[in-house]
Amino acid sequence: MTALTLNPDTRAAPAHAGLVRRAWIITGMLVLFQMINFADKAILGLVAEPVMRDLGLSPGEFGFIGGAFFFLFALSAVLVGFLAGWIQSRWIILSMGLAWAVLQFPMLLGGGAALLLGTRIVLGAAEGPATPISLQHVQGWFPATDRGLPSSLVAMGSTLGPLVAAPLLAWIIAHPDWGWRWAFGFMGVTGLGWTLAWAVLSREGPYAACGRAGEGAKPQAAVSALDDQVPPACLRRVFLSPMFIVATLAGAGCFWAQGFLTTWSPRYLTSVVALSPEWIGLVSTLPWLMGAAALFVLGVLSRRAMRRGASVRWALGAMFGATLAASGLAFLALPWLDGYVAVAVLTLAAGLAMIFPLAPATVAYCVAARQRGAVMAVLTGVASLGGVVSPMMVGYLMQKAAYVPGMAGVSMDSGIHSAFWFIGCYLLVTGLGCVAVLNPDALLRRWHACQDERPGHP
């Protein structure tokens, strides 16, 4: 099936029921894609203790390797995002899936600390564009008023990945015949299977960015009513707008929380509640489950709101910001808690911070279809720097508190609690900022009110 180009008067919905079925099949495939993406990230936190022991790493060195995942993440996201306006996104996704799978096998085959560092850096480059390109591709299968739910479902894959994979990977790690190296091997085999299925099933959607016609209508009351007729914008103005800046800062807080979950959360859970490795793997999934629930609820609410005529600001932007502010309040409460209460509040705090993909999905409404990939990729790439900071910050604070792996009587809690204070304040402030300014409707109306200016092309 080839990609379709729709005229403005036929864009309301796919003309054939087969396209609707195909749209949801593609959505399901991209949910699995994001599950593999974040399961790959979650491995490092699950193998933290045996890796530090077997490879002779200090907490600071292990934190550096965790943060190294994001060294090329932002650059790759930005470069591939700009290419996605001209190259079909299904081929970009295929290339990413294959690279993810291949990069898991060096650790299975006996790699040491240097190879772990190298593969994490390259894996970060290969996974950098995953979220914006996945969102761009799924949005190519749905009209504008219906994109909130499939975008949220694809974003849910990022929370379901660790949720599904963590118990299985923890069991593999604890198995006496396999161990932590086979956790990498399992993800490599899984990635190869998904890549083969995508090569057979994938197509470009009827609302895809490449080869689109009909862009150029002027903004009406709400951009969701425009479908894909939003005119091309000057990307420099987009990137310098308060909306884009605040969304990026908020996204950095989301990535900070993800970096903590994928690197240090299992060790924190071991400290506050003495659990076996198998139970740690299970409990580590709870924040991701909370994140999946939050994304699903927000996706359903946004779809319902936009179908009733609500603006993108209230249907997506304000709900995103309010949820982040609630996450910040929960993080601020954590230093005062311990035991199972701390586990419950961490689940709430980190889970509510898992909604980052709603930020680029909201901002993308103010640009043309061909520009979505670039805008979402730049936002994601810059925001991902929060994931670089998180593992290294926590590792540094733990070392400063004199924590040494395996040393009795030295707690890691004080260092991590300092980090919780920081991220709590940060998410509270940026969340409220998103409620105030995450408004693509007003931005478009303001740009086109200037009759003497004409939007340029990137």
Side-chain angles (χ1 to χ4, degrees):
M1 184 183 297
T2 57
L4 301 178
T5 301
L6 302 183
N7 294 322
D9 59 343
T10 62
R11 292 170 188 253
H16 192 273
L19 284 176
V20 177
R21 289 193 297 270
R22 173 72 67 171
W24 288 108
I25 290 172
I26 294 297
T27 302
M29 289 290 295
L30 290 174
V31 171
L32 292 174
F33 180 70
Q34 287 290 80
M35 288 175 66
I36 294 170
N37 176 13
F38 275 76
D40 287 343
K41 293 183 178 73
I43 287 179
L44 200 62
L46 293 171
V47 301
E49 193 68 23
V51 164
M52 284 192 289
R53 182 184 63 246
D54 293 353
L55 302 184
L57 299 173
S58 69
E61 291 168 336
F62 182 77
F64 180 81
I65 291 175
F69 178 89
F70 292 97
F71 285 178
L72 298 178
F73 189 98
L75 178 62
S76 173
V78 171
L79 292 178
V80 175
F82 277 95
L83 289 175
W86 311 100
I87 300 174
Q88 289 190 349
S89 53
R90 64 173 174 145
W91 299 119
I92 299 175
I93 291 171
L94 180 68
S95 300
M96 285 191 288
L98 182 61
W100 300 355
V102 170
L103 287 166
Q104 302 302 325
F105 293 112
M107 294 313 298
L108 171 65
L109 301 177
L115 194 55
L116 178 61
L117 174 62
T119 54
R120 296 303 288 184
I121 293 173
V122 179
L123 183 65
E127 294 192 357
T131 295
I133 300 302
S134 297
L135 290 173
Q136 174 178 321
H137 191 84
V138 79
Q139 288 174 3
W141 282 94
F142 294 88
T145 53
D146 288 346
R147 284 187 192 136
L149 181 57
S151 295
S152 291
L153 290 176
V154 171
M156 279 175 59
S158 63
T159 63
L160 293 175
L163 176 67
V164 173
L168 180 58
L169 292 175
W171 180 77
I172 292 173
I173 292 165
H175 196 284
D177 296 330
W178 295 330
W180 63 268
R181 291 190 183 274
W182 265 106
F184 290 93
F186 173 81
M187 291 310 305
V189 172
T190 302
L192 288 177
W194 182 92
T195 302
L196 178 61
W198 180 258
V200 174
L201 296 174
S202 66
R203 302 287 188 274
E204 288 295 305
Y207 304 93
C210 295
R212 293 302 310 276
E215 293 171 349
K218 285 209 170 194
Q220 310 288 328
V223 291
S224 59
L226 280 173
D227 208 345
D228 286 315
Q229 301 177 58
V230 173
C234 173
L235 291 187
R236 179 180 59 83
R237 297 176 73 182
V238 176
F239 297 149
L240 294 178
S241 67
M243 178 183 69
F244 186 89
I245 293 171
V246 171
T248 303
L249 292 173
C254 295
F255 273 97
W256 192 102
Q258 291 180 20
F260 173 79
L261 285 179
T262 57
T263 308
W264 290 114
S265 177
R267 295 299 307 132
Y268 173 73
L269 292 173
T270 302
S271 175
V272 298
V273 182
L275 298 175
S276 66
E278 293 81 1
W279 277 103
I280 287 293
L282 180 61
V283 174
S284 295
T285 66
L286 296 179
W288 305 96
L289 179 61
M290 173 63 70
L295 283 166
F296 180 76
V297 170
L298 292 175
V300 171
L301 291 177
S302 68
R303 186 188 193 199
R304 182 176 301 174
M306 277 195 271
R307 284 187 166 186
R308 293 179 177 178
S311 68
V312 178
R313 176 189 184 181
W314 297 114
L316 278 174
M319 287 195 291
F320 169 78
T323 305
L324 280 194
S327 171
L329 290 173
F331 270 115
L332 286 172
L334 272 171
W336 305 96
L337 306 172
D338 56 18
Y340 290 102
V341 176
V343 173
V345 175
L346 176 64
T347 297
L348 179 66
L352 294 181
M354 295 292 102
I355 61 168
F356 164 74
L358 297 184
T362 302
V363 175
Y365 273 95
C366 73
V367 297
R370 183 166 54 85
Q371 298 174 311
R372 285 187 214 131
V375 169
M376 291 191 291
V378 171
L379 198 160
T380 301
V382 178
S384 71
L385 296 176
V388 178
V389 171
S390 175
M392 292 187 286
M393 172 193 286
V394 175
Y396 168 76
L397 291 173
M398 287 166 59
Q399 278 193 209
K400 189 175 180 181
Y403 172 75
V404 177
M407 180 178 291
V410 181
S411 173
M412 63 188 289
D413 294 358
S414 61
I416 289 185
H417 286 167
S418 298
F420 286 160
W421 273 103
F422 165 80
I423 194 59
C425 293
Y426 186 92
L427 287 175
L428 178 61
V429 171
T430 55
L432 294 176
C434 285
V435 174
V437 304
L438 208 54
N439 188 353
D441 304 271
L443 189 63
L444 271 176
R445 287 196 297 269
R446 185 163 61 251
W447 285 347
H448 290 274
C450 302
Q451 297 298 325
D452 58 336
E453 291 187 15
R454 186 169 172 239
H457 293 270

